């Protein structure tokens, strides 16, 4: 694949919690497909050897002394991106589900649309790993809700594979949802007058280990996030986006 030089001022944020089994492979994959981008691993208080293995690769590593959850870890990455003056920042999870080879689809979508954030959707072309049946029900419900609230088509609102431009980086460095942030972040973006666009990508199952989100937790997640985004949507009028 021919690599664009436009990834020279891109930061790849890799949030990782107990991902010692695959973090080195994830970093090597990124280096293979996006060799000019900078990488920062945010170790979210892992209890295994994630920190040591990430450091051995030579990439920048931010070590959180306590587990803040995915929201806190990703926001730490956006703050690092803002302070470093990066034009773009992309989240690639430490579990190996996001394929760095697909990143150029997000870059093209962001460039052609003029949007502030490009979200990789596994459901537009329905290729690759599609998630479990229980989660699919919740994802479809949340996607319909987000589409109606934002007026823009959303099919994969829980996707963490997303690329942000400068304005979105500034917003998320200052404000970012905690707990299960992906859905709320889209609403937050919309509330601040910024735009998102989706593009089709193919995702993979976890390289090893398993997700902590069970079927019961999926139901709890759907209810909690629904209430959270309705509350967020109801708070006053749309704020101005970052300069």
């Amino acid at each position: 694949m021919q690599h664009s030089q436009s990834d020279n001022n891109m930061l790849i944020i890799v949030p990782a919690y107990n991902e010692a089994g695959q973090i080195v492979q994830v970093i090597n994959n990124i280096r293979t497909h996006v060799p000019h981008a900078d990488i920062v691993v945010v170790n979210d208080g892992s209890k295994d050897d994630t920190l040591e293995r990430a450091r051995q690769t030579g990439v920048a590593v931010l070590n959180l002394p306590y587990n803040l959850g995915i929201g806190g870890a990703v926001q730490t990455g956006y703050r690092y991106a803002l302070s470093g003056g990066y034009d773009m920042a992309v989240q690639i999870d430490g579990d190996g589900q996001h394929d760095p080879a697909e990143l150029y689809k997000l870059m093209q979508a962001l460039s052609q649309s003029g949007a502030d954030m490009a979200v990789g959707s596994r459901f537009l072309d329905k290729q690759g790993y599609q998630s479990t049946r229980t989660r699919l029900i919740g994802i479809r419900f949340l996607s319909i809700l987000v589409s109606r609230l934002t007026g823009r088509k959303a099919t994969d609102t829980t996707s963490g594979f997303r690329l942000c431009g400068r304005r979105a980086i500034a917003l998320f460095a200052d404000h970012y949802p905690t707990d299960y942030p992906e859905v709320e972040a889209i609403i937050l973006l919309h509330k601040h007058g910024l735009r998102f666009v989706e593009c089709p990508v193919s995702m993979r199952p976890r390289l090893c280990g398993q997700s902590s989100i069970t079927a019961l937790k999926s139901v709890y997640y759907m209810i909690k996030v629904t209430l959270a985004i309705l509350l967020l949507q109801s708070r006053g009028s749309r704020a101005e986006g970052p300069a």
Side-chain angles (χ1 to χ4, degrees):
M1 172 184 290
Q2 293 295 319
H3 296 286
S4 168
Q5 293 300 312
S6 63
D7 58 0
N8 276 332
N9 201 25
M10 175 190 292
L11 178 69
I12 296 180
I13 301 166
V14 184
Y17 177 64
N18 293 342
E19 303 291 3
Q22 58 267 349
I23 191 65
V24 173
Q25 184 176 342
V26 168
I27 292 170
N28 288 338
N29 254 341
I30 294 171
R31 282 173 163 163
T32 296
H33 294 288
V34 203
H36 302 292
D38 290 341
I39 304 170
V40 61
V41 174
V42 184
N43 178 51
D44 190 20
S46 296
K47 298 176 182 178
D48 62 6
D49 295 331
T50 298
L51 175 62
E52 291 75 15
R53 296 192 182 187
R55 282 176 171 168
Q56 287 170 3
T57 67
V59 301
V61 180
L62 302 178
N63 184 42
L64 302 179
Y66 305 102
N67 177 242
L68 297 183
I70 185 66
V74 171
Q75 185 177 25
T76 299
Y78 281 124
R79 288 181 175 177
Y80 184 89
L82 182 65
S83 66
Y86 289 93
D87 294 325
M88 294 179 287
V90 60
Q91 177 184 341
I92 294 183
D93 288 345
D95 59 11
Q97 287 191 311
H98 301 157
D99 185 355
E102 300 280 272
L103 175 54
Y104 290 93
K105 295 180 181 179
L106 298 184
M107 294 172 65
Q108 185 176 36
L110 196 71
S111 175
Q112 291 180 348
S113 67
D116 298 284
M117 179 173 75
V119 179
S121 172
R122 74 203 104 168
F123 304 127
L124 286 173
D125 284 353
K126 298 188 182 300
Q127 295 182 355
Y129 179 66
Q130 297 288 292
S131 195
T132 63
R133 183 178 180 181
T134 303
R135 288 197 200 179
L136 284 174
I137 294 172
I139 290 170
R140 286 168 182 163
F141 170 78
L142 291 171
S143 295
I144 291 171
L145 182 60
V146 168
S147 296
R148 291 184 177 179
L149 291 177
T150 64
R152 300 188 67 83
K153 182 180 180 181
T155 63
D156 198 354
T157 52
T158 64
S159 169
F161 192 22
R162 46 186 65 182
L163 172 67
C164 290
R166 283 184 173 181
R167 297 205 305 167
I169 290 172
L171 172 63
F172 292 153
D174 194 33
H175 301 288
Y176 200 74
T178 57
D179 231 357
Y180 304 106
E182 291 86 3
V183 186
E184 292 179 61
I186 296 176
I187 299 297
L188 182 66
L189 193 85
H190 174 71
K191 290 281 287 184
H192 283 78
L194 306 187
R195 293 192 303 116
F196 73 93
V197 65
E198 285 191 332
C199 71
V201 297
S202 177
M203 294 191 189
R204 305 173 294 198
R206 293 175 61 92
L207 289 175
C208 65
Q210 62 183 30
S211 172
S212 61
I213 302 178
T214 62
L216 183 60
K217 285 184 179 179
S218 294
V219 175
Y220 166 76
Y221 166 77
M222 184 176 69
I223 295 171
K224 177 187 177 298
V225 173
T226 299
L227 294 175
I229 63 177
L230 290 175
L231 179 62
L232 179 62
Q233 180 70 12
S234 68
R235 290 177 183 168
S237 58
R238 189 180 71 179
E240 292 185 7

